Amino acid sequence: MHIANRLDTQRRLNAFYLREMAPAHRAHEVPVHPAEFRRIHEIEAMWNAYEESRIDLSDLPADAEGFAAWYFEVHKRHCREVAPFFDYIAEAAPAEAMAFYICLEEEVDGRFDDVVALAQLGLGGDMKLALAENFWDEMGNGRLEDMHTVMFCRSSAYMRDILDRAGIDVRDQVPASALKNGNLLLMYALRRRHAGRLLGALTILEHTAPWRFSRTVRGMRRLGMPEDVIHYHDLHIAIDAGHGRDLIRRVVLPLLADHPGLIREVAIGCLIRYRVAVDYYDGIARTLSQTGFAVPWRAGGPAPAAGAFDDQAFRREFPEAGLMEAS
């Protein structure tokens, strides 16, 4: 097993990244020793090399216009690949499997709002405004009770009660792929040399989220869960469609028009995030299967059926995502 896929490696990285982002009252925990940084950087180099070996960079576009067409195809392919898992969530998952999926995200501290804040560094003009608006949404537009972390905790508390009654402890079953999913963005955000990769990863994450959230909401309503529990997930259908649209239109494409030499790095961020996310959902499916749930898509199983994700339906359902002009 590659070192990047080991649970102990990803736990070590997550702990180190959270120390780097320690709040003021825990500033004494911030890593300062060169030897400790050196080992972390060695692990990151091996991880990056491994992820780069899994992606195809042979046909990258040469300019921003070409990148737009390339990106929309990657977006469509990514949704199709994870469609079987989210079909299960929407149409078949029992309450315990739904709760496991939601609570697993709580176990992985990816500090998403801090990642969005760090993504603004070095940008200016409308590009910075686009990310600032994204961050302000994460902050609940100035209302404490509407901060996304606060709303998510309300939802996850309900889900944790379901797992407690079923005797299921998520903490003992966190797959390495779940930690990788959060750590990737933290690594990109904390290592400024990966600033282009961070923008690529954030764009495809936010732009594919509306469909994932819509499938999750469908499953939660099928299970009769309370609307206040569903609210966080329902809210993100429209919000993330707008975030994804703004990231590609107002940040990535203008940046690449001015600096086409960045295309490779932004594309690497898109493609690695794509692969790590697929591994994440695969890891959830495998863990659920081992727990006794009949998940149809898991590691080692058949490849997801082509066309399980309807791109045209996505464009009609989420016009806010700005994909209508893509062909």
Side-chain angles (χ1 to χ4, degrees):
M1 178 184 294
H2 192 279
I3 187 172
N5 294 325
R6 284 169 31 189
L7 184 60
D8 62 327
T9 298
Q10 292 299 329
R11 286 194 186 281
R12 179 177 182 177
L13 288 174
N14 189 253
F16 190 86
Y17 295 151
L18 296 185
R19 286 171 58 206
E20 286 192 80
M21 302 175 76
H25 66 280
R26 290 169 55 188
H28 60 281
E29 297 178 8
V30 175
V32 295
H33 297 294
E36 191 175 11
F37 270 101
R38 190 177 306 116
R39 181 53 183 157
I40 292 297
H41 290 166
E42 288 172 353
I43 294 171
E44 289 173 345
M46 289 186 283
W47 183 13
N48 276 300
Y50 168 73
E51 297 298 347
E52 288 174 34
S53 74
R54 300 200 298 156
I55 61 176
D56 181 8
L57 298 173
S58 62
D59 193 28
L60 292 183
D63 54 29
E65 183 178 355
F67 184 89
W70 175 90
Y71 168 80
F72 288 128
E73 284 302 312
V74 171
H75 175 282
K76 179 167 59 178
R77 194 164 70 243
H78 179 29
C79 290
R80 281 180 174 168
E81 192 157 353
V82 300
F85 175 77
F86 284 97
D87 285 346
Y88 168 75
I89 289 294
E91 308 296 347
E96 294 81 4
M98 177 71 77
F100 188 96
Y101 163 56
I102 300 300
C103 288
L104 188 58
E105 295 215 354
E106 188 180 38
E107 290 300 314
V108 180
D109 192 347
R111 299 289 179 88
F112 185 72
D113 49 4
D114 289 337
V115 166
V116 174
L118 288 170
Q120 299 174 60
L121 296 181
L123 297 176
D126 190 57
M127 288 183 279
K128 199 176 194 92
L129 281 176
L131 279 160
E133 291 163 14
N134 188 320
F135 180 75
W136 193 233
D137 282 338
E138 292 292 324
M139 295 297 100
N141 294 294
R143 292 171 55 88
L144 178 63
E145 63 272 23
D146 291 338
M147 286 179 65
H148 290 188
T149 51
V150 173
M151 287 195 294
F152 179 76
C153 285
R154 288 200 294 266
S155 180
S156 65
Y158 177 90
M159 299 296 182
R160 198 165 291 280
D161 285 344
I162 293 174
L163 295 181
D164 287 345
R165 290 195 297 271
I168 300 172
D169 191 346
V170 176
R171 293 169 297 180
D172 296 334
Q173 302 181 69
V174 178
S177 58
L179 285 162
K180 280 180 69 176
N181 195 54
N183 284 343
L184 183 75
L185 292 178
L186 288 172
M187 174 175 63
Y188 286 171
L190 289 166
R191 309 291 174 250
R192 291 300 298 158
R193 65 185 177 278
H194 295 320
R197 297 186 183 196
L198 175 61
L199 294 175
L202 275 177
T203 299
I204 198 161
L205 181 158
E206 294 269 38
H207 220 174
T208 55
W211 179 75
R212 294 193 301 272
F213 276 113
S214 73
R215 304 302 284 162
T216 302
V217 167
R218 181 181 177 94
M220 294 170 85
R221 289 198 169 120
R222 169 179 56 80
L223 292 165
M225 292 180 172
E227 284 300 314
D228 63 329
V229 171
I230 298 172
H231 179 61
Y232 165 85
H233 309 274
D234 195 26
L235 184 70
H236 276 70
I237 297 173
I239 285 180
D240 283 351
H243 290 170
R245 177 200 62 218
D246 288 346
L247 278 163
I248 191 66
R249 286 183 174 178
R250 295 171 59 190
V251 180
V252 169
L253 294 181
L255 184 65
L256 297 184
D258 290 341
H259 305 282
L262 270 176
I263 286 174
R264 181 181 176 86
E265 282 297 292
V266 175
I268 287 174
C270 286
L271 292 172
I272 289 180
R273 161 62 198 180
Y274 171 160
R275 287 262 53 90
V276 168
V278 169
D279 289 347
Y280 171 48
Y281 299 120
D282 188 73
I284 298 172
R286 178 172 56 182
T287 304
L288 283 171
S289 295
Q290 292 169 346
T291 308
F293 297 101
V295 186
W297 181 54
R298 57 185 183 273
F309 166 73
D310 187 335
D311 179 54
Q312 295 298 322
F314 179 95
R315 296 181 200 177
R316 290 192 298 271
E317 189 172 355
F318 309 114
E320 304 94 336
L323 294 178
M324 297 304 293
E325 74 282 10
S327 59

